[in-house]
């Protein structure tokens, strides 16, 4: 009887572990899709579509350089000013070297690189880290820390 209970426990543990791993794979796939959708939106100059990957909240945070900014609307306004304002362009965006680490069933840490190709030949690039949270509406970025040159 004791062996039977042990066997059932081992089978349950393996099944639970496998289920957790499958959930992690599905979450990473979904998060990668959010980032790919952002890249596509940027490249068609759709900043609202790009911002669809972010948590639409005043609590959304961005760190860049030595500055912190808060809020979804403030981020959209900043992107519009810096990339669609007079004398500015959005360029072509590419995200590379994505590494997605699950922190739990409803949060993830993402690292990667961004590369912009501008019409004048300049190629701004840099590194970013993102914190994703799972909401009823899907996975959203709640924090973005980007550093570039």
């Amino acid at each position: 009887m004791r062996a039977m209970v042990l066997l059932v426990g081992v089978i349950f543990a393996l099944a639970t572990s496998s289920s957790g791993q499958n959930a992690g794979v599905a979450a990473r796939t979904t998060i990668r899709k959010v980032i790919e959708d952002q890249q596509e939106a940027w490249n068609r100059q759709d900043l609202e579509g790009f911002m669809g990957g972010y948590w639409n909240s005043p609590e959304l945070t961005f760190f860049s350089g030595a500055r912190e900014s808060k809020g979804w609307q403030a981020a959209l306004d900043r992107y519009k000013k810096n990339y669609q304002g007079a004398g500015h362009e959005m360029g072509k965006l590419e995200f590379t070297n994505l590494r997605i680490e699950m922190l739990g069933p409803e949060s993830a840490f993402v690292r990667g690189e961004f590369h912009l190709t501008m019409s004048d030949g300049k190629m701004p690039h840099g590194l970013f880290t993102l914190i994703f949270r799972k909401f009823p509406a899907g996975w959203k970025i709640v924090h973005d820390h980007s550093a570039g040159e």
Side-chain angles (χ1 to χ4, degrees):
M1 181 65 171
R2 185 185 248 200
M4 182 63 132
V5 170
L6 182 59
L7 179 61
V8 169
V10 168
I11 291 171
F12 178 76
L14 290 173
T16 303
S17 173
S18 175
S19 173
Q21 289 173 357
N22 289 341
V25 169
R28 282 190 291 277
T29 299
T30 302
I31 290 166
R32 184 175 297 276
K33 175 79 167 108
V34 169
I35 295 169
E36 289 169 355
D37 288 349
Q38 284 189 296
Q39 179 179 295
E40 291 171 11
W42 184 278
N43 289 335
R44 64 177 183 269
Q45 300 186 10
D46 175 8
L47 282 177
E48 285 81 7
F50 176 79
M51 289 297 298
Y54 289 95
W55 181 33
N56 191 342
S57 167
E59 297 302 312
L60 170 68
T61 55
F62 283 83
F63 288 179
S64 182
R67 297 182 56 194
E68 175 183 2
S69 58
K70 289 185 97 171
W72 187 92
Q73 187 62 52
L76 175 60
D77 293 344
R78 192 174 56 257
Y79 277 125
K80 284 182 176 180
K81 177 184 170 193
N82 293 332
Y83 292 98
Q84 289 183 332
H88 292 79
E89 69 170 298
M90 291 181 66
K92 181 176 188 257
L93 175 64
E94 181 181 14
F95 292 124
T96 61
N97 201 22
L98 293 176
R99 290 157 289 165
I100 303 169
E101 179 180 339
M102 299 307 299
L103 300 175
E106 297 184 355
S107 61
F109 177 62
V110 179
R111 291 170 282 203
E113 301 172 20
F114 67 88
H115 303 271
L116 277 171
T117 303
M118 309 307 256
S119 63
D120 64 3
K122 291 183 181 175
M123 298 183 72
H125 62 281
L127 303 173
F128 64 86
T129 57
L130 307 170
I131 302 293
F132 272 81
R133 264 182 56 199
K134 186 177 184 183
F135 292 93
W139 286 92
K140 300 290 182 182
I141 300 164
V142 298
H143 176 77
D144 181 328
H145 185 175
S146 297
E149 351 181 302

